[in-house]
Amino acid sequence: MKTLFVAINAKYIHTNLAVRYMHELAKQNGYTSTEIAEYTINQRLPQLLRELYLTKANHMIFSCYIWNIDIILDLCCQLKQVMPNIKILLAGPEVSYNTTEIMKQYSFIDGIIRGEGESALIPLLEHLQSGTSAASVPSFTYRIGYHIAETEQAPPISLSQLPFPYPDLEQEKGRILYFECSRGCPFQCGYCLSSIEKGVRFMPLEQVYQCLDVFLSNQVLQVKFVDRTFNCNKNYAFSIWNYLKEHDNGITNFHFEIAGELLDKKTIAFLSTVRKGQFQFEVGVQSTNTETLSAITRKTDTEKLLQICKEIDASCNIHLHLDLIAGLPYEDINSFRNSFNQVFQIHPQQLQLGFLKVLKGSSIHKQCTEYGILYTPKAPFEVLQTNWLSFDDILFLKDIEDMVEIYYNSGRFQTILTYMIQEFQTPFDFFAQLGSFYTANGFHLSNHSKEQYYEILCDFWQSTNRIFTETMKQLCIYDICLHEKPKKLPSFTDNAYQYEYRDWISQFYELQAHIEAYLPNYTSESSKRIAKIVHMQVFPFHPETKALTPTAVLFDYQKRDLTGKAHHYFFPIS
């Protein structure tokens, strides 16, 4: 009797933590006829159907989230048609809070595991593989003939019982690995499902260290902690950060979702000493409107939070990701504009402009009528309008979101963007005008080459009756070179300086002292070979300080930071 744990991820590089826990727990308890099947939402439904059908599994348990629930329901419907004897079960946050409704609506679903699945797993496998009563499975909603029954909710599992979810890291190469050392959240944010669970549970520190040692010894590129508020216990978080600093392998990046306002001076000072690129912080600001924050029961001292974010960013060693949510109560366009501008002044590496998702089980789900919130009836249940935002306003903010994602979060336009934004009243106004120009010209209807995105910026600038100067053209070239060896430049550039100094560039590569000082990994390569791998670009001024001295910049593409920028060195040309 084969049981299949099925994950359908948003992208191939993602890994599903839930199915890995279940699979490892099953193996530990002697259930060897269980397997993991992992796919993505980008695969076509017929292909998914074929692959799952060919497993010939007797039972399939699907891990359900807002990004995959629709494709899972369509898939399960077809699976039941071609495999009428299969048992199809659902689990995960997207199906845990309205199980009876789902079971009534979709007759092909045989059962749903509510909440955390680990506590229910072994009784469930006994039921599926040995025929014990479904009533013996805790946290389970199931069918008895035409009726739907629910068993009592199991107590939460101790995190000390969780197995290490990645027994073979060789199979996970090139993927993002997820990990957790706590469950629950002390905060009660109205839009979040974590507010439903009371209290926070922690994995014993020694167990955490053992897991981290596996990641470190295997030189995993990135580990993302999925703890809802990693630093809700200051001492616990500090112990883990300190352990990672002391055992740093020089490679692995660790991502944490934190409450920035909980960081004290001692911790901020410590964080300034960790290796550049070792830590990545995601901080949910969501809004700076005090009335909005009160409505979603989010007790945040925004001024303190933003000041702490500035202090973290000042050390230039931690990748900072700040979040805003559009569509929250009491936030209109002007209020959101203010929130956006206040957060933008931190200059985080990522500014996530998200839109409210009305999740079943959240308190804001119960307040939709009060706040006039309309949202899409199918996943991702995204806001369409509120008492403060019309659908026109939502579309306006969507255009801004696209521009922030393309031009800011990509990190590919940082220098030219900084130059352009300072010419507008606020950053919000810049992205708003750029977004309106982008959609008015139909650019949102098709994909564009990297060069074309720069050309669109140039066209936008000229549409505001401004001159796209030679300085701006050179800054575009600089941004391009930061990310890749340029093969094709935007049509508005002529690259004249590069030809003028081509002999100087050739002589640079021929000096062994230059190679040893700046490109030590290439000492065994010929000068011609080096010139093909790295890149030297000459500018009429220093592209960062703007000093009016011809400056050559050497870009080494084998060394990059977290944003993908190549390591680079400046050489004034006399």
Side-chain angles (χ1 to χ4, degrees), residues 236-407:
Y236 185 86
F238 188 90
S239 296
I240 293 173
W241 285 334
N242 188 58
Y243 186 88
L244 290 173
K245 180 188 175 184
E246 291 180 349
H247 297 80
D248 182 26
N249 61 9
I251 294 173
T252 307
N253 164 258
F254 294 91
H255 177 104
F256 306 93
E257 187 170 338
I258 68 166
E261 64 271 27
L262 297 183
L263 296 177
D264 55 27
K265 294 294 183 183
K266 172 192 169 185
T267 304
I268 294 170
F270 164 79
L271 290 170
S272 70
T273 67
V274 302
R275 169 177 59 84
K276 184 175 182 179
Q278 185 179 12
F279 293 167
Q280 184 170 312
F281 287 169
E282 182 171 355
V283 181
V285 180
Q286 319 310 14
S287 173
T288 63
N289 183 324
T290 54
E291 195 173 10
T292 297
L293 294 174
S294 176
I296 58 176
T297 62
R298 189 173 176 86
K299 299 174 182 178
T300 302
D301 183 339
T302 302
E303 189 173 327
K304 177 183 177 182
L305 171 60
L306 294 179
Q307 179 58 38
I308 288 173
C309 288
K310 282 183 181 178
E311 292 176 25
I312 294 172
D313 191 59
S315 298
C316 300
N317 65 327
I318 291 177
H319 189 276
L320 195 58
H321 181 152
L322 302 184
D323 295 341
L324 287 171
I325 298 178
L328 293 173
Y330 302 103
E331 187 105 86
D332 59 15
I333 287 291
N334 288 330
S335 168
F336 191 82
R337 177 178 184 265
N338 185 55
S339 293
F340 183 96
N341 288 328
Q342 284 186 274
V343 171
F344 195 88
Q345 70 176 333
I346 309 298
H347 300 297
Q349 282 71 40
Q350 293 272 305
L351 200 172
Q352 182 67 45
L353 199 173
F355 288 78
L356 175 66
K357 309 292 189 297
V358 182
L359 305 178
K360 301 177 187 71
S362 66
S363 62
I364 209 163
H365 181 262
K366 303 169 187 175
Q367 298 171 296
C368 284
T369 301
E370 176 186 353
Y371 295 137
I373 297 175
L374 301 181
Y375 59 94
T376 57
K378 298 183 72 174
F381 314 114
E382 190 169 274
V383 64
L384 293 172
Q385 69 178 55
T386 72
N387 285 342
W388 300 270
L389 290 175
S390 67
F391 187 55
D392 283 328
D393 293 332
I394 293 290
L395 293 179
F396 172 67
L397 292 177
K398 283 283 184 182
D399 290 343
I400 295 174
E401 178 198 26
D402 288 343
M403 295 302 95
V404 170
E405 198 62 31
I406 291 170
Y407 285 105

Side-chain angles (χ1 to χ4, degrees), residues 102-113:
I102 293 172
M103 295 282 286
K104 286 180 178 178
Q105 187 173 357
Y106 302 104
S107 60
F108 49 83
I109 304 301
D110 296 297
I112 296 175
I113 306 167

Side-chain angles (χ1 to χ4, degrees), residues 179-187 189 191-197 199-202 225-232 255-260 282-284 286 298 323 325 359:
F179 183 67
E180 63 182 337
C181 57
S182 67
R183 287 185 180 176
C185 181
F187 304 111
C189 302
Y191 54 83
C192 183
L193 293 180
S194 295
S195 63
I196 298 171
E197 182 181 344
V200 184
R201 292 166 287 141
F202 298 92
F225 281 71
V226 296
D227 306 58
R228 298 312 301 157
T229 307
F230 177 80
N231 64 326
C232 63
H255 177 104
F256 306 93
E257 187 170 338
I258 68 166
E282 182 171 355
V283 181
Q286 319 310 14
R298 189 173 176 86
D323 295 341
I325 298 178
L359 305 178

